[in-house]
Amino acid sequence: MSQAAGVAKDELAKAPATSARRRHNTDKSAATSSRRHRARKGQPYLQAQVVHYRPRVSVLDKELTTVSYHGLVNFLLLLLSATLIRLAIENYMKYGILVSVPGATIEARDWLATAAGMLAVAASFLVALAVEKSAIPACSGCSSAAASPIGVDAEEKRTIMLHAANLLFVLVAPSYITYFYIFQPALGTAVMTLACIMFLKLYSLSAANFDLRRAYRLGDKQLSSDPLQRASLQRGRLVVDVKRGTAGGPVHSSGGTDTEDSSVEDMVRSMVPLTARASFSLNARVLDDICVAGNDRIDAKADALPRPRLRVRATTASEVLRRVASTAEVDRHSPPAGAVDDGSLSDDGAAAKTLADKHGSHAGADPYGDAAGRPKRSAIHYAVAYPDNVSLANFGYFWLAPTLCYQPSYPRMAGPIRKAFVAKRATELVILCVAMWIVIQQYAVPTLVGSVRAIDTRNPFWLSERVLKLSVISAAVWFLGFYAIFHSGLNALAEVLRFADRAFYLDWWNSVDLAAYWREWNLPIHYFCKRHIMMPLVSPPLSLPAGAGVLLTFLVSAVMHELLFGIPTHCLRGYSFVGMMAQIPLIQLTQWLVRWRGPESGLGNAVFWISFCIVGQPLGVVQYYYTWVKNNP
């Protein structure tokens, strides 16, 4: 306390000196300018003075990089504001007030069907819990390696079939109810959104427990020796090579350098504790933008990328790890105040040691490296061991948690819930939802009604005008919805659940290509696709090329988008499916533009905004609305 008071006193003592120094510099500049002005007045032949005395470039030339465009940006923002105000006035003069109370015109049948769809979603969660409870093996290490080299026996196959049937039910039952019994698209969208989220959560839950159950059945308490990593498919049969790898960690090359087929993100996370909040991004040319910073108090201002940024040029994963480790000034055994590690994928040393002791490993073992000091690729440590995690409380937390990837434990915040923070985020959520409703009712609906007439008359110029006008409204709703869901809503939910990892999105608006946008705008989906689609496909025993993983990822996303938008609008025409699959060639185009002109050119970013917000979204909305109107005259 006394130290803080001393610092404040020193700052107050320095303030007058700083102010006096600033005034002195100002007076000195004014005096210098005055002397120059008097010197010019005394010069001979004033009209023959030299004006052009050195080479210079124009201000707007690209070679001049020190010019600020802050004033032009301010003008463009003011011009945009004036244009939007004019459009609002024009809309009011033409249509008056169109906003109505939400839900006033919805029939009771729609409400009952919505409740039935949500009950079906909840029932699937209880079924998954019952299946997991019944699948717990009798004891650890009971499986015979000869009969089940990868830890999958007849009982496990039955569990897989039950989970598959439950996953099919959680999609089919709500889809059937929505398509045939819910007329209101908004309610249908709510039901299908919950159904798709539950589908992804249950898939992650079943897949994660499948691996945990295999390790438990094989007696692998350290979760470090997976037989599937030594397996391969030969003539349609799964063959496990018992001579490859060791039980203590990954395979290393002869030179002591990690093999390059590993996941760089997992290696970075295994080297730097979770409390360091390390993250990174990859571009098409080189590993770059390793971000390392201390885990300060997590709130609305700390859920984005940490600062400062460390620019890294590295050619091998080992070099990345060495540079990250040398920059992250973190004590693994003393996590910072405000965060409690519950033993996630890469926890601090103390939590890992506690879990290791519980599982019977030798004391003092470093969970982040082997005996030679080389980092392990997959240090999996949880505060809750299998099968203790198979409980209603554990699964229920995952059901409510703002993530799609199941873990037996998650990093949690210490201390009580910040009620003011929750109230602020909840208020933002309500205000933004009201704003979206007003924008949709007052501005989007009249534009969509006009688009129906434009399509009927087959006038391309009129239709283009409707799409471009709707693009402004669509972008406004998109930004409002993004902030409401991914910032306000998920942060409020995370605070209530004390969920510490609140990086739900990155700076996707700066994406240099479409691939970066799809990785960064929705991190829960990105982590799910990487963990449960991409990595299993490119890893043994399948070992497919990365292109197959990308194709399947977008295929799953296309099906989900078609369910989300096609079923509530009773329009299964494949608009969303085609739009999502069209992202693959657009990604190739934007990446080619980045390679051709460089990321600083902004061409890839421009293609992203044009294809997504200016043309893609409004055109899709027009198509769905036109079909819905024609199907429901």
Side-chain angles (χ1 to χ4, degrees), residues 29-214:
S29 300
T32 302
S33 178
S34 178
R35 286 196 300 270
R36 290 177 179 175
H37 182 66
R38 289 195 300 269
R40 284 196 298 269
K41 291 179 62 176
Q43 289 178 353
Y45 306 107
L46 296 179
Q47 298 184 80
Q49 293 294 319
V50 177
V51 176
H52 306 285
Y53 55 90
R54 63 185 175 90
R56 292 180 295 179
V57 297
S58 299
V59 173
L60 295 179
D61 196 289
K62 66 178 182 179
E63 297 178 2
L64 194 62
T65 60
T66 59
V67 178
S68 173
Y69 299 96
H70 182 69
L72 285 177
V73 172
N74 284 342
F75 167 71
L76 292 176
L77 290 176
L78 291 173
L79 184 62
L80 177 62
S81 301
T83 303
L84 293 178
I85 293 173
R86 185 196 67 80
L87 292 175
I89 295 174
E90 179 184 357
N91 179 273
Y92 175 76
M93 295 174 61
K94 184 180 295 185
Y95 304 108
I97 302 297
L98 299 178
V99 180
S100 59
V101 178
T105 59
I106 299 178
E107 298 180 358
R109 165 186 157 178
D110 284 1
W111 289 112
L112 293 175
T114 300
M118 293 183 177
L119 286 176
V121 172
S124 65
F125 169 79
L126 298 177
V127 171
L129 174 61
V131 171
E132 284 298 325
K133 280 186 172 294
S134 65
I136 298 177
C139 61
S140 177
C142 296
S143 176
S144 171
S148 179
I150 62 173
V152 177
D153 53 11
E155 184 67 21
E156 186 63 37
K157 294 178 181 178
R158 185 185 70 87
T159 302
I160 294 174
M161 296 300 296
L162 291 176
H163 274 304
N166 190 40
L167 290 172
L168 185 63
F169 170 80
V170 78
L171 284 183
V172 171
S175 298
Y176 178 83
I177 294 173
T178 301
Y179 193 83
F180 291 103
Y181 297 102
I182 300 179
F183 174 78
Q184 177 56 245
L187 292 181
T189 302
V191 172
M192 291 308 303
T193 300
L194 291 178
C196 290
I197 292 176
M198 182 59 73
F199 173 84
L200 298 177
K201 281 180 173 282
L202 292 184
Y203 183 89
S204 179
L205 185 145
S206 60
N209 280 282
F210 168 77
D211 275 350
L212 294 174
R213 191 162 48 250
R214 285 196 306 111

Side-chain angles (χ1 to χ4, degrees), residues 251-257 259 374:
V251 180
H252 296 282
S253 63
S254 59
T257 304
T259 53
R374 295 171 297 198

Side-chain angles (χ1 to χ4, degrees), residues 232-307:
S232 61
L233 289 176
Q234 299 180 10
R235 298 181 180 180
R237 297 182 61 185
L238 186 65
V239 179
V240 179
D241 185 359
V242 296
K243 297 182 180 181
R244 283 181 52 195
T246 62
V251 180
H252 296 282
S253 63
S254 59
T257 304
D258 304 310
T259 53
E260 297 306 319
D261 60 346
S262 62
S263 170
V264 180
E265 179 176 353
D266 293 338
M267 298 180 70
V268 172
R269 292 186 181 277
S270 67
M271 189 68 179
V272 182
L274 179 66
T275 51
R277 294 188 65 80
S279 60
F280 69 95
S281 58
L282 300 177
N283 58 27
R285 299 177 181 177
V286 69
L287 300 175
D288 203 358
D289 290 349
I290 303 293
C291 304
V292 180
N295 183 13
D296 297 329
R297 182 170 176 266
I298 297 180
D299 54 17
K301 297 181 180 179
D303 58 2
L305 273 174
R307 293 295 186 267

Side-chain angles (χ1 to χ4, degrees), residues 387-541:
D388 297 337
N389 64 303
V390 183
S391 65
L392 179 61
N394 188 282
F395 286 10
Y397 183 88
F398 170 62
W399 184 7
L400 299 176
T403 179
L404 296 176
C405 292
Y406 173 76
Q407 296 178 187
S409 60
Y410 295 93
R412 305 282 291 276
M413 292 300 297
I417 297 173
R418 295 175 293 171
K419 297 180 181 178
F421 180 85
V422 176
K424 182 179 179 181
R425 299 281 87 83
T427 303
E428 289 177 351
L429 181 62
V430 172
I431 293 175
L432 291 172
C433 288
V434 172
M436 284 191 292
W437 177 257
I438 292 174
V439 171
I440 292 173
Q441 289 287 302
Q442 187 68 36
Y443 301 100
V445 171
T447 305
L448 289 172
V449 171
S451 67
V452 173
R453 296 195 297 270
I455 296 176
D456 288 337
T457 58
R458 302 184 182 277
N459 189 330
F461 295 102
W462 190 6
L463 180 59
S464 301
E465 184 271 337
R466 293 285 94 184
V467 171
L468 292 176
K469 184 176 181 179
L470 187 63
S471 65
V472 179
I473 305 168
S474 174
V477 174
W478 165 252
F479 283 113
L480 291 173
F482 172 81
Y483 192 93
I485 296 174
F486 286 90
H487 190 79
S488 301
L490 293 185
N491 268 287
L493 180 60
E495 183 66 26
V496 171
L497 298 175
R498 297 172 53 241
F499 189 86
D501 187 1
R502 304 184 185 182
F504 305 119
Y505 57 90
L506 299 180
D507 53 342
W508 54 266
W509 45 89
N510 295 325
S511 302
V512 296
D513 55 50
L514 273 174
Y517 164 75
W518 289 113
R519 287 193 306 266
E520 297 175 354
W521 90 274
N522 189 336
L523 287 186
I525 286 289
H526 169 66
Y527 292 149
F528 177 90
C529 293
K530 178 181 177 182
R531 186 198 202 196
H532 297 296
I533 300 178
M534 178 65 74
M535 297 306 296
L537 288 178
V538 301
S539 302

